[in-house]
Amino acid sequence: MPMMDRRRTLASLLAGLLSACGFRSIPPTATPLAQPSAVPPTPTLVPTNELPSATPVIPVLVSPQRAIPLVPLQVTIQAAGMQGAAAKLVFTDTRGRNAGLYEVVLGEAATQIEVIPRAGLGPQRAELFINGQARVVADPLFTVEAETSIATGQQRFDVLYPRLRGFMQQGRLSYTLDGARVAGYRSPDNPLLWLRDHTYQARGFCYFEKDLTSLIEHFRAAQQPDGSLPDWLPNKALGVLKPGRKEVEADLEFLFVQAVVEAWQVTGDDAWLKQNLQAMRSAIDYSTSNPLRWDSTLGLVKRPYTIDMWDFSYGPTTLDPTNGRPAPRHWIDDATIWGIFHGDNTGLAQALNLLALAEERVGDSQEVQRRRDQSDELMQRLMDLSWNGRFFTHFVPLQPFEPAGVDASEQLSLSNTYALNRNVLRSQQGRTIVNEYFQRGEKRDPVAVFAEWYSIDPPFPAGSYGLAGRPGEKPGEYVNGGLMPLVGGELARGAFQYGAERYGFAILERYFFLIDTTNATYLWYYPAGNPGISGVDTVPTDGWGASAMLAALIEGAAGIENRGVSYSTTRLSPRWAATADVRSARATARYAASDGYAAYHWELSDGMLRIQFASAGDATELRLLLPDVVTKVSSVTLDAAPVTYEVRNVLGSKYVFVDAATGNGDVMVRW
């Protein structure tokens, strides 16, 4: 057999053995592939002049088929007879972006290189240059895959994501509605798909749910000509044949805008966003003009006197006009007490800013600033009316009214925690709300009240809200002073943002203890910590609270935030330095409905903090929390080169700010 045939036979046998072991062996391509602009052109594959034999040596690249961002893997270069040659291995992702460059001097037979996978998900191309000439083009050499995960070595953080994902997945519903599938996440105390519950849970299920749009499309189809939207979707299997709305609700329109834009920020589907643009405009116009929802004198959204965002208003039990049975006051009548509730307005202000993003991307550019101005002006009017210097007053009646048996001016209601995360507050206002909850937590009896996650505090006296005998009529029940994980989660996320990092971690740790002890999570709890059961439809897998805690974990503690579309720009603010026992952390956030992801490996040691980061995007905003003992930073480098940075005091916490025009890098902070 000729020498060349024997070499090919051996190469084929080697490739078969490596494939059977789960590795990929890549021979050179017959024709060099077109090169991305970031990579030098690949010359025709020829043997190097330095080889002692006229027979060309064919190098082989061997690698595992699957790679995980920032988790080292071994790539082997098999190039017998090329000992001492200079080799360069260049990686690019599917968008042609640089995913790594490695240089090595080849050994006698096989040379191993430790590769750190990064850049975009999917197949990655590798090119091997030897002595400056292209020898192998492997397209792909491996495929980069990512899943959301937290790994710190501390159980209270590491098991939260899989545990909460498991709770939430039990609340997923999918069925055929009007000839099309709908998928969504149910209410924890009602078996229907509600716009409110689903929208707030999206903050958590975006990491594992692929269908983010079908429910939104069904709600859009149910939108009324005046722009208003229903509360829930029909479900014929449950005997609910039409969509419906509780009359007292005033927040559904801003929730629709939030649902659309946040789904688009995950998927990056501009065409789908544009399909929803007019529906969003109509929803906002309804909220800001319809006399049932808008007070034209104050320029604010109005509603009946409900407890925060809930769907029943002040007064004794009434009769359901559809069947004559006793029921909570879901309806507007002559006894309705009207006023301004802060949560409707902070939510609308956020929605106006989100609509501006949509207009900027796929709509009318002249509308962008108008919508942002609307948001700012609305918030100023709300501040003038409702801000008391410590938090938002729960409800400001349009006509003089004082509820009996409670100091309404001291009532701290749950949407104060939502305001923390709507990007509508000044920094000091956010911190004062966090401080208010912390101080009330310090004053509570830890035996009688297990957490300060109050739906409202102080609660209304018994009988203020008639619920036809259901839980919630008495103080400490349901939304009348019951404790809610959704409040704790929003509060924790806000605490991380407003310089109270240790408080944020304390909330997560308390929630972990709760669910680890009971293997359950409920929409609400009695003050002592026993679960609240609102009725036969209550489930022990509350997705609303779980999603809020999950957002606090990923966006707050781990500090991974999508600042663009599908992590086109990522903000990384790892806050592990505020814990006593985390010195190394790997964190990944991956959207299931797109290839958007961001990941990092964070390490803290004596005199140094290091973060290696990777993402699908092109820009990274690093906000690196320093340990309390650090008084002065001596240097900051990005990929071993000095980089511009700034040390900022964020409400008492010191952060190093670095803005990198790349989605992938290695930052070291020394002091």
Side-chain angles (χ1 to χ4, degrees):
M1 181 183 293
M3 178 66 72
M4 179 58 74
D5 290 342
R6 286 201 300 270
R7 288 178 181 272
R8 286 175 178 164
T9 299
L10 290 171
S12 298
L13 289 171
L14 175 61
L17 287 170
L18 291 168
S19 178
C21 295
F23 290 84
R24 178 173 289 147
S25 173
I26 307 293
T29 57
T31 304
L33 302 179
Q35 296 304 300
S37 59
V39 179
T42 304
T44 304
L45 299 179
V46 296
T48 60
N49 296 329
E50 290 81 0
L51 296 178
S53 169
T55 303
V57 175
I58 303 174
V60 175
L61 296 178
V62 181
S63 166
Q65 295 183 14
R66 179 174 178 265
I68 299 172
L70 302 179
V71 176
L73 60 78
Q74 296 294 323
V75 173
T76 301
I77 303 173
Q78 295 181 343
M82 292 187 175
Q83 182 178 5
K88 180 186 295 185
L89 193 56
V90 180
F91 292 90
T92 53
D93 66 13
T94 55
R95 290 174 52 195
R97 296 175 302 174
N98 177 26
L101 185 152
Y102 302 85
E103 296 181 336
V104 67
V105 175
L106 295 179
E108 184 173 346
T111 303
Q112 288 193 332
I113 300 178
E114 183 179 87
V115 171
I116 307 296
R118 56 181 75 238
L121 300 182
Q124 290 207 351
R125 166 191 178 110
E127 291 183 86
L128 176 64
F129 296 82
I130 298 178
N131 292 335
Q133 293 185 328
R135 301 309 303 263
V136 173
V137 177
D139 194 1
L141 179 60
F142 51 69
T143 298
V144 179
E145 302 173 2
E147 293 184 0
T148 300
S149 62
I150 303 288
T152 66
Q154 302 300 323
Q155 185 187 31
R156 66 190 188 279
F157 302 129
D158 296 354
V159 305
L160 267 181
Y161 172 70
R163 187 82 58 87
L164 299 183
R165 179 186 61 198
F167 287 147
M168 294 189 68
Q169 287 173 327
Q170 294 185 58
R172 187 183 191 273
L173 299 180
S174 180
Y175 56 92
T176 300
L177 177 60
D178 297 331
R181 295 299 292 177
V182 59
Y185 287 75
R186 58 158 284 178
S187 166
D189 62 357
N190 187 285
L192 296 176
L193 291 175
W194 294 64
L195 179 59
R196 177 180 301 96
D197 302 57
H198 178 91
T199 298
Y200 286 130
Q201 289 183 71
R203 209 77 194 184
F205 66 66
C206 62
Y207 300 110
F208 53 84
E209 174 60 57
K210 293 185 177 181
D211 181 359
L212 302 184
T213 59
S214 65
L215 177 138
I216 296 170
E217 290 165 2
H218 279 281
F219 272 101
R220 186 183 72 213
Q223 188 176 32
Q224 297 301 298
D226 63 1
S228 63
L229 288 131
D231 244 329
W232 64 83
L233 292 177
N235 189 330
K236 293 181 181 179
L238 299 175
V240 180
L241 305 182
K242 297 187 300 183
R245 176 174 182 148
K246 301 295 188 184
E247 270 189 334
V248 298
E249 298 285 21
D251 56 356
L252 295 164
E253 288 67 38
F254 84 66
L255 286 166
F256 177 76
V257 174
Q258 180 180 338
V260 170
V261 177
E262 290 185 350
W264 161 70
Q265 288 175 316
V266 171
T267 66
D269 189 339
D270 288 353
W272 181 83
L273 177 66
K274 193 165 187 176
Q275 291 171 8
N276 288 276
L277 187 57
Q278 187 54 51
M280 291 192 289
R281 291 168 175 165
S282 297
I284 292 296
D285 290 345
Y286 172 80
S287 289
T288 56
S289 65
N290 191 289
L292 190 64
R293 309 298 177 196
W294 184 252
D295 186 279
S296 57
T297 301
L298 294 174
L300 294 167
V301 177
K302 66 179 181 179
R303 74 155 58 202
Y305 198 164
T306 62
I307 301 180
D308 203 86
M309 69 174 81
W310 249 247
D311 60 8
F312 49 85
S313 63
Y314 191 93
T317 297
T318 187
L319 298 179
D320 185 334
T322 65
N323 56 31
R325 296 173 184 166
R329 305 185 70 83
H330 299 307
W331 300 270
I332 295 170
D333 57 27
D334 292 341
T336 296
I337 302 163
W338 289 92
I340 306 299
F341 159 57
H342 61 92
D344 290 334
N345 290 280
T346 58
L348 176 58
Q350 179 191 29
L352 286 163
N353 286 327
L354 293 175
L355 181 56
L357 284 178
E359 296 283 9
E360 189 172 42
R361 184 78 168 208
V362 298
D364 184 350
S365 60
Q366 295 182 355
E367 284 289 289
V368 176
Q369 193 57 50
R370 185 175 80 86
R371 293 303 191 184
R372 289 173 178 158
D373 290 344
Q374 269 188 288
S375 176
D376 292 343
E377 292 162 4
L378 178 80
M379 282 303 301
Q380 187 58 58
R381 292 192 294 270
L382 180 66
M383 293 293 180
D384 293 342
L385 179 74
S386 184
W387 180 254
N388 67 12
R390 292 151 48 215
F391 55 89
F392 288 106
T393 301
H394 169 228
F395 190 83
V396 181
L398 296 181
Q399 300 296 328
F401 178 79
E402 290 289 339
V406 65
D407 182 354
S409 68
E410 286 297 309
Q411 285 186 304
L412 180 66
S413 75
L414 68 90
S415 283
N416 276 280
T417 62
Y418 276 100
L420 294 172
N421 302 305
R422 286 173 168 163
N423 297 313
V424 294
L425 302 179
R426 304 182 192 97
S427 293
Q428 194 56 50
Q429 288 175 320
R431 183 57 183 263
T432 59
I433 291 174
V434 172
N435 288 347
E436 184 68 25
Y437 276 93
F438 178 79
Q439 290 164 8
R440 294 192 184 205
E442 290 289 286
K443 295 175 183 177
R444 67 184 169 86
D445 179 346
V447 176
V449 182
F450 89 96
E452 61 276 13
W453 310 340
Y454 303 109
S455 51
I456 193 166
D457 178 65
F460 290 92
S464 301
Y465 288 82
L467 301 181
R470 304 171 193 171
E473 291 185 332
K474 299 176 183 177
E477 293 180 343
Y478 195 31
V479 75
N480 188 24
L483 308 184
M484 292 183 156
L486 66 90
V487 176
E490 294 293 329
L491 177 59
R493 185 152 63 106
F496 285 120
Q497 180 180 351
Y498 292 109
E501 296 86 1
R502 286 185 177 81
Y503 185 35
F505 279 114
I507 293 171
L508 287 177
E509 290 165 1
R510 191 174 304 167
Y511 183 64
F512 168 74
F513 174 79
L514 176 68
I515 64 172
D516 193 55
T517 302
T518 64
N519 197 30
T521 182
Y522 287 85
L523 174 64
W524 65 277
Y525 292 81
Y526 288 94
N530 44 320
I533 309 297
S534 296
V536 295
D537 294 318
T538 295
V539 294
T541 54
D542 163 36
W544 195 344
S547 65
M549 290 291 182
L550 188 50
L553 173 68
I554 294 176
E555 298 181 42
I560 304 177
E561 297 178 77
N562 175 19
R563 305 290 288 186
V565 178
S566 299
Y567 293 107
S568 57
T569 297
T570 301
R571 176 171 290 177
L572 298 179
S573 311
R575 298 180 171 97
W576 308 111
T579 68
D581 52 4
V582 176
R583 289 297 173 265
S584 177
R586 291 184 179 271
T588 301
R590 161 76 194 278
Y591 289 145
S594 71
D595 284 336
Y597 88 98
Y600 66 74
H601 181 199
W602 173 94
E603 297 173 286
L604 179 64
S605 58
D606 292 342
M608 187 180 74
L609 183 156
R610 181 184 186 187
I611 181 169
Q612 301 174 74
F613 60 95
S615 77
D618 299 310
T620 308
E621 303 169 356
L622 294 118
R623 309 291 185 256
L624 306 176
L625 177 65
L626 295 171
D628 289 342
V629 297
V630 177
T631 58
K632 186 178 180 180
V633 170
S634 60
S635 69
V636 179
T637 59
L638 171 61
D639 295 330
V643 66
T644 301
Y645 70 93
E646 186 177 353
V647 178
R648 296 187 190 177
N649 187 307
V650 179
L651 299 169
S653 298
K654 295 188 291 294
Y655 284 80
V656 173
F657 280 52
V658 176
D659 290 332
T662 177
N664 305 271
D666 186 345
V667 168
M668 291 189 182
V669 180
R670 293 180 173 85
W671 54 83

